[in-house]
């Protein structure tokens, strides 16, 4: 432990199970000395997430918060009083499964609105709700994916939502900057989680990624957690409005550039 987040209080939204990127981020934050509050979407995840909170640290709390419900967001703010809150992690996304497999041009209006509300607007709602608690400045991060800026097969409406999310990061950074709050995004390479399982052809995506990425392997959730801890720490004090790629360099090479060289280790 290097105590990068010693004495800081962090809110992490979006833990569903032990594979969630939010949980890996929680592990990194706990290792770095943060006090933790983690959230889950609904009653169905309550027990699992309460157990995970206890594994993170004896003082970590688990609270229910569906980000589409203003009353649950208000209760969360209440539970975090009197603050201060130093760090907020937004690790939430949702799209209807059929919108992640049929042609993009067939996305329904309702499916589009739902994906954008849960996956992009919620960052604005959360940051606005938490801003009064972030009295000592603070840091907000969200999780994005390359589909925001490139067409990725089957990512579809989620790519549009991530594009909006990345623009949100820049606008929120500009809005909250004068209060000393930083807002950044991590664009992670593909990692097997519950949300990822909803994307048709995800296993093929993982294989192709490892073949083409300069580091010739997939990204781990721990590696995302480490970068999240860095962004929350004072070492990143001059960084805001950024999207950091944690993807073994995949986004930097042209598609299909597998050169037949050394293959990833199994
Ligand atoms: P996950 O399924 O573990 O996490 C998604 C979370 O969103 C779940 O906890 C779910 O309950 C929550 N959620 C959905 N709708 C919600 C709502 N209305 N209110 C509150 N919570 C809600 O999967 P994950 O891969 O850990 O996803 C976390 C974030 O990381 C997402 O934004 C995802 O797009 C992003 N991401 C994932 C990958 C990947 O390959 N796994 C890559 C890049 C970015």
């Amino acid at each position: 432990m290097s105590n990068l987040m010693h004495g800081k209080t962090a809110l992490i939204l979006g833990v569903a199970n032990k594979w969630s990127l939010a949980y890996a981020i929680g592990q990194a934050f706990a290792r770095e000395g943060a006090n933790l509050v983690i959230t889950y979407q609904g009653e169905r995840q309550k027990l699992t997430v309460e157990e995970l909170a206890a594994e993170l640290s004896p003082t970590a709390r688990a609270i229910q918060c569906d980000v589409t419900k203003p009353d649950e967001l208000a209760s969360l703010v209440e539970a975090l009083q009197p603050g201060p809150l130093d760090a907020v992690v937004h690790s939430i996304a949702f799209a209807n499964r059929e919108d992640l497999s049929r042609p993009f041009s067939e996305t329904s209006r309702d499916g589009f609105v739902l994906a954008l509300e849960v996956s992009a607007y919620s960052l604005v709602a959360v940051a606005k709700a938490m801003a009064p608690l972030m009295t000592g400045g603070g840091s907000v991060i969200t999780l994005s994916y390359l589909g925001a800026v490139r067409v990725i097969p089957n990512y579809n409406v989620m790519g549009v939502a991530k594009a909006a999310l990345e623009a949100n990061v820049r606008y929120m950074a500009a809005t909250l900057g004068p209060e000393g709050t930083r807002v950044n995004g991590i664009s992670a390479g593909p990692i097997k989680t519950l949300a990822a399982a909803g994307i048709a052809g995800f296993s093929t995506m993982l294989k192709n990624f490892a073949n083409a990425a300069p580091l010739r392997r997939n990204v781990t959730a721990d590696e995302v957690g480490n970068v999240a801890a860095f962004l929350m720490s004072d070492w990143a004090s001059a960084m805001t409005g950024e999207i950091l790629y944690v993807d073994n360099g995949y986004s930097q090479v042209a598609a299909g550039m597998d050169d037949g060289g050394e293959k990833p280790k199994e």
Side-chain angles (χ1 to χ4, degrees):
M1 177 162 93
S2 43
N3 265 336
L4 278 183
M5 296 181 67
H6 179 70
K8 293 185 193 283
T9 299
L11 168 69
I12 304 178
L13 298 114
V15 182
N17 53 42
K18 65 179 176 185
W19 293 282
S20 293
L21 298 187
Y23 183 59
I25 291 170
Q27 288 177 309
F29 285 12
R31 183 194 70 211
E32 298 301 331
N35 305 314
L36 296 175
V37 178
I38 62 176
T39 76
Y40 53 92
Q41 182 182 356
E43 195 62 31
R44 221 155 37 98
Q45 297 154 330
K46 183 176 165 46
L47 259 183
T48 305
V49 178
E50 280 177 350
E51 281 170 18
L52 290 175
E55 281 173 31
L56 285 174
S57 94
T59 56
R61 288 190 288 161
I63 298 175
Q64 180 170 317
C65 182
D66 182 324
V67 289
T68 62
K69 298 182 176 159
D71 56 323
E72 292 195 12
L73 210 43
S75 303
L76 180 61
V77 172
E78 202 51 46
L80 293 166
Q81 294 291 353
L85 183 63
D86 303 290
V88 176
V89 178
H90 172 275
S91 185
I92 287 172
F94 183 79
N96 287 328
R97 193 173 268 262
E98 61 268 25
D99 286 328
L100 299 175
S101 55
R102 62 184 170 194
F104 175 67
S105 55
E106 289 172 24
T107 307
S108 67
R109 177 186 294 263
D110 287 351
F112 190 99
V113 169
L114 178 66
L116 270 283
E117 182 187 6
V118 176
S119 318
Y121 173 70
S122 63
L123 177 68
V124 181
V126 167
K128 184 177 166 204
M130 299 305 154
L133 289 168
M134 300 183 86
T135 46
S139 175
V140 178
I141 62 167
T142 187
L143 276 297
S144 191
Y145 179 59
L146 185 62
V149 292
R150 301 273 186 276
V151 173
I152 308 280
N154 299 323
Y155 204 59
N156 299 0
V157 71
M158 190 53 80
V160 178
K162 292 299 190 194
L165 181 70
E166 293 189 3
N168 279 353
V169 165
R170 292 183 282 274
Y171 279 93
M172 294 304 293
T175 311
L176 300 180
E179 313 302 324
T181 298
R182 302 181 291 108
V183 186
N184 292 288
I186 292 177
S187 182
I191 298 170
K192 212 167 180 175
T193 62
L194 194 62
I199 301 163
F202 187 77
S203 303
T204 309
M205 195 191 271
L206 273 180
K207 218 166 111 218
N208 293 342
F209 180 97
N211 281 332
L215 291 180
R216 293 293 195 277
R217 61 176 178 82
N218 284 112
V219 174
T220 67
D222 290 349
E223 290 174 312
V224 174
N226 290 339
V227 175
F230 159 70
L231 277 175
M232 294 307 191
S233 76
D234 295 340
W235 292 108
S237 58
M239 296 177 70
T240 194
E242 293 278 358
I243 306 297
L244 265 76
Y245 284 80
V246 179
D247 69 346
N248 293 335
Y250 181 86
S251 54
Q252 302 303 317
V253 295
M257 287 297 283
D258 177 11
D259 59 6
E262 198 182 330
K263 292 288 179 260
K265 297 176 190 79
E266 289 301 325

